[in-house]
Amino acid sequence: MDIQVSKYHGCGNDFIMVDAGLLDLFDTDEKRTDFIVSVCDRHTGIGADGCIFVKQDPLEMIYYNQDGSRADMCGNGIRCFAAYCHDEGLVNGGMYEVETKAGVKTISEISADPFICLVGMGKPIWGNDKIGVKSDTRIWEYPLETSEGILNLYSVYMSTIHTVVFVEDPFDPKWEKVGKEICHHPLFSEQTNVNFVEVLTPEKLKAATYERGCGMTLACGTGMCASGLISFMLSKTRPRIDIEMKKGTLHIDVDNEQRVYLSGPAVRILKGIYSYVENQ
């Protein structure tokens, strides 16, 4: 089966874009998951951290991780979604809204070439229920034993479930093992994304993210929103900061009501036909 696809990346976090009409064709969980796993495979497919189904009238971003699991939102993914909509003529620039599983997000195009946009990510949601924690202990500076010793966790729902851990050198490969330990810890009934964050200055962080359903990724937009927000709340940084990742930098703004804004680039890598063979 030949399927029209596009591939985009935001600071190295990459996604396959396909028309949401395919969801009618892949009408069971098994069919949909097989396609997503196939197209996202980096050896036998195109390769990506996730797959985004683009729905029109109204615009909606339907996002799945590379393992086929559904995710509420993705900060880099929604900027790539916006770039795709721009390139395909689905929008005329300016400001517009996109529906997601985590609610409606507002896109403001800053630059067309290179493509850069600002995303209103909304407010965080605090509380154990939203982050899938059954414990009576509120997850704020919660010490957890890991293979690298006891680490303090800060967890929040920021368009999806995120946990922030402050460390030295978040790019050190050892954090992948720790990220998996925290992500799959019984404390989190729905698992959690894990952000390893180093404070460089009051205006700059360095960070890396272990994403549930993906593992370590080169960038995570919602993770950087959570990292910037929590760093500011702990008085480690100011409300306007840049966050350095392995393949780029994102800018985060936090206002007085804890609304978070994310801005950064999105780049098209390819546009073409994917020859999909079911259950290959």
Side-chain angles (χ1 to χ4, degrees), residues 44-85:
T44 59
I46 295 174
D49 292 322
C51 184
I52 297 175
F53 293 86
V54 181
K55 189 175 182 180
Q56 302 180 49
D57 301 322
L59 283 177
E60 181 179 359
M61 170 180 140
I62 304 171
Y63 177 64
Y64 290 87
N65 294 313
Q66 63 180 202
D67 66 353
S69 59
R70 181 78 187 270
D72 290 0
M73 237 288 286
C74 176
N76 288 316
I78 198 168
R79 294 197 326 279
C80 289
F81 177 97
Y84 172 89
C85 291

Side-chain angles (χ1 to χ4, degrees), residues 235-254:
S235 299
K236 294 178 181 289
T237 56
R238 298 193 171 100
R240 296 174 57 84
I241 61 168
D242 291 323
I243 305 184
E244 173 191 342
M245 297 158 294
K246 283 188 174 181
K247 293 288 186 180
T249 299
L250 293 175
H251 183 79
I252 304 295
D253 289 292
V254 182

Side-chain angles (χ1 to χ4, degrees), residues 7 21-23 50 53-54 75 78 81 84 94 117-118 132 135 142 173 190 218 220-221 252 258 265:
K7 179 175 176 178
L22 283 173
L23 292 173
F53 293 86
V54 181
I78 198 168
F81 177 97
Y84 172 89
C117 69
L118 173 76
S135 168
Y142 181 87
E190 300 175 27
L218 293 173
C220 177
I252 304 295
Q258 293 189 353

Side-chain angles (χ1 to χ4, degrees), residues 56 139 145 154 200-201 243:
Q56 302 180 49
I139 307 306
E145 182 71 44
Y154 302 86
L200 300 178
T201 73
I243 305 184

